[in-house]
Amino acid sequence: MNANSQPIKLFLVVAFSCTSLLVSLTPVLAKPTQNRSDAKTTVAQATTFNQPPIPLGPPPGGRVRGGAKRGPVGTLAACPPTKPDLTALVPFTEEDNSVINVWAQTTVERPSWFFYVPYTKDLPYTVEFVLQDRDSNEIYKNAIALPDKPGVIRVSLPTTAPALAVNKQYRWFFTINCDKQKNSPPTFVEGVIQRVELNPATVKELQTPELLKRYALYGQKGIWYEALMTLAELRQKNPQDAALQAEWRNLLGSIRLNDIATEPLLLETPSSAK
């Protein structure tokens, strides 16, 4: 063997060893990782909320944020200012004439509303949820308990309340009175909800047991209340899931409520005051 053959032989041994190592690693590197977040991430990337246009007729108007309001001359709102303010988790539009329209759709007879409440139960404030038909007739009214800490609470229409009729609009109010004598104006939010029917093909798709798929379908069809409710239920079942937290931020960010997206979700809070 000459002097040059030893380096060549060593090079071939090293090259063969590296090739063998790469071959042995290839199946590991190429094999897709099966974990809990795969499906969530895929759905999150594909989910968009398609806000439907405002229905024909008088614009719904409304108020998505509470905040301190001045009352009659010489009086001030009793509710202290907070940041964020009382907020309804509902889509809204701002028109050229500075009119805000707070409006969204549901498919169920008795939906749930979500509100960010900045005040807590240790304060002597009274809270009320009211639902009216289009002629301002009261459909449902209930006193609401303030939460233990500031956060997002759920208010659901109970089975004892009248069911929402299809294609009819209803106006809701969520009001906090911070003055026992009610001499000062309350802080409140309000908007319009309309129940609609989905086509049979979509109804069949929604029969899937996978909540993430249901959430995505509701978002694509512009059904706000069920999209929000489904995602809230998923977060309740998986409170530490980072992918679901990101999707929650994405959904609320899509309706310009980014400041509410990181607030606690208090679904265990009783909705009715004792």
Side-chain angles (χ1 to χ4, degrees), residues 186-264:
T187 181
F188 70 97
V189 289
E190 66 167 302
V192 170
I193 185 172
Q194 182 177 12
R195 183 182 167 205
V196 297
E197 282 187 323
L198 296 171
N199 63 55
T202 302
V203 171
K204 186 175 181 179
E205 285 185 277
L206 286 168
Q207 291 174 356
T208 173
E210 296 182 45
L211 288 180
L212 275 168
K213 287 186 178 180
R214 276 192 239 165
Y215 159 67
L217 278 168
Y218 282 128
Q220 291 160 11
K221 300 299 180 181
I223 307 299
W224 173 259
Y225 286 94
E226 279 70 88
L228 186 67
M229 181 67 186
T230 305
L231 188 55
E233 288 179 346
L234 278 165
R235 285 200 60 200
Q236 186 179 26
K237 293 177 180 178
N238 306 277
Q240 304 304 318
D241 194 302
L244 291 176
Q245 293 170 8
E247 187 57 30
W248 182 263
R249 293 193 297 271
N250 172 67
L251 181 63
L252 293 186
S254 72
I255 61 168
R256 294 170 291 164
L257 294 182
N258 305 73
D259 58 332
I260 306 299
T262 55
E263 295 296 332

Side-chain angles (χ1 to χ4, degrees), residues 90-172:
V90 187
F92 64 98
T93 60
E94 296 178 84
E95 310 303 328
D96 294 337
N97 55 3
S98 299
V99 171
I100 291 179
N101 290 308
V102 183
W103 178 82
Q105 294 179 333
T106 182
T107 61
V108 299
E109 294 182 342
R110 295 176 179 86
S112 293
W113 290 258
F114 289 79
F115 303 97
Y116 169 73
V117 179
Y119 307 114
T120 55
K121 67 179 184 180
D122 58 312
L123 297 168
Y125 301 162
T126 58
V127 187
E128 193 173 69
F129 178 79
V130 175
L131 186 66
Q132 298 177 345
D133 66 16
R134 199 163 184 175
D135 297 321
S136 299
N137 298 311
E138 191 173 283
I139 300 297
Y140 175 73
K141 180 179 179 179
N142 194 33
I144 305 299
L146 284 170
D148 293 337
K149 61 181 180 179
V152 175
I153 68 168
R154 174 177 59 197
V155 176
S156 301
L157 204 60
T159 55
T160 53
L164 301 190
V166 175
N167 295 327
K168 286 192 176 182
Q169 296 179 29
Y170 298 84
R171 184 170 296 275
W172 50 263

Side-chain angles (χ1 to χ4, degrees), residues 23-35 38:
V23 170
S24 66
L25 284 177
T26 299
V28 176
L29 295 173
K31 185 178 180 180
T33 303
Q34 299 294 329
N35 57 45
D38 283 345

